[in-house]
Amino acid sequence: IIIRIITLINKRKEGIKLNIINEIFTNLFVLYLIFLIGITILPVYIGGTLPHIQELSLVEQSNINILPFVSYFKSQVFYNGFIRGIIRNVVGNLVLLIPFILFLCWKNEKFRSLKSSIKAAFLISLSIELIQLFMNICGLSDLRTVDIEDLILNTLGGVIAWGMFTLMYKIKTKSMVDNVELKQVDEN
């Protein structure tokens, strides 16, 4: 946030005209990135591993789930908390990367294809899962689950984001998006 403020002040001093919509969305994206890191990576334990993690084998420390959605059907107990947890996990993972992919589609024309959006969502999600795996193995986290269903749902969320962008772009924001791009080209 501080870097964004300094950047805006410098642009203003240099006489660069600011596009307020562009700046609002960019600043919201920065806040979203902080939120994303907070949800997927933090907290990080520095200064040694957690005591109970040292007793686990490498496989247990990895905490990898490679069978998607099995845990939802494995449990015989369907009470409110369990159902709520499933809904929270599915919806949360679907929604998690939507702002990221929307922002990429808005800022960069090459992400406006379905294939590029799927690739971006998959690679971002894979990066998050690999960081979580690394943190688990190094004892830097409290054993976050490295989960194939997160990868699937995050990627599907990227498809949803692409669909949302495509729909918004075609319906009413095409001129706004094109204006932002043209102004950025003019500034460069």
Side-chain angles (χ1 to χ4, degrees), residues 92-111:
N93 278 304
L94 280 173
V95 171
L96 187 68
L97 294 184
I98 287 177
F100 206 120
I101 302 304
L102 281 172
F103 188 78
L104 287 178
C105 288
W106 178 57
K107 292 296 256 183
N108 193 329
E109 204 170 305
K110 70 180 175 182
F111 288 104

Side-chain angles (χ1 to χ4, degrees), residues 1 8 10 21 30 37 41 46 59 67-68 102 116 152 171 188:
I1 296 173
L8 292 174
N10 285 337
I21 292 173
V30 169
I37 290 168
I41 297 171
I46 300 174
V59 173
L67 299 173
L102 281 172
S116 294
I152 293 167
I171 291 176
N188 294 332

Side-chain angles (χ1 to χ4, degrees), residues 105 109-118 162:
C105 288
E109 204 170 305
K110 70 180 175 182
F111 288 104
R112 293 181 189 170
S113 75
L114 178 59
K115 184 178 179 181
S116 294
S117 291
I118 289 172
W162 173 84

Side-chain angles (χ1 to χ4, degrees), residues 61-101:
Q61 284 181 10
S62 299
N63 202 18
I64 299 174
N65 176 20
I66 58 172
L67 299 173
F69 311 108
V70 170
S71 61
Y72 299 155
F73 304 107
K74 205 176 196 180
S75 178
Q76 299 284 322
V77 184
F78 285 96
Y79 56 91
N80 281 344
F82 181 73
I83 299 292
R84 231 178 289 134
I86 290 174
I87 292 169
R88 190 177 124 211
N89 187 48
V90 170
V91 172
N93 278 304
L94 280 173
V95 171
L96 187 68
L97 294 184
I98 287 177
F100 206 120
I101 302 304

Side-chain angles (χ1 to χ4, degrees), residues 18-42:
L18 299 175
N19 180 317
I20 198 73
I21 292 173
N22 186 34
E23 295 305 325
I24 288 171
F25 283 129
T26 301
N27 288 317
L28 286 173
F29 182 70
V30 169
L31 291 175
Y32 159 76
L33 286 178
I34 293 167
F35 173 76
L36 180 66
I37 290 168
I39 285 180
T40 59
I41 297 171
L42 297 179

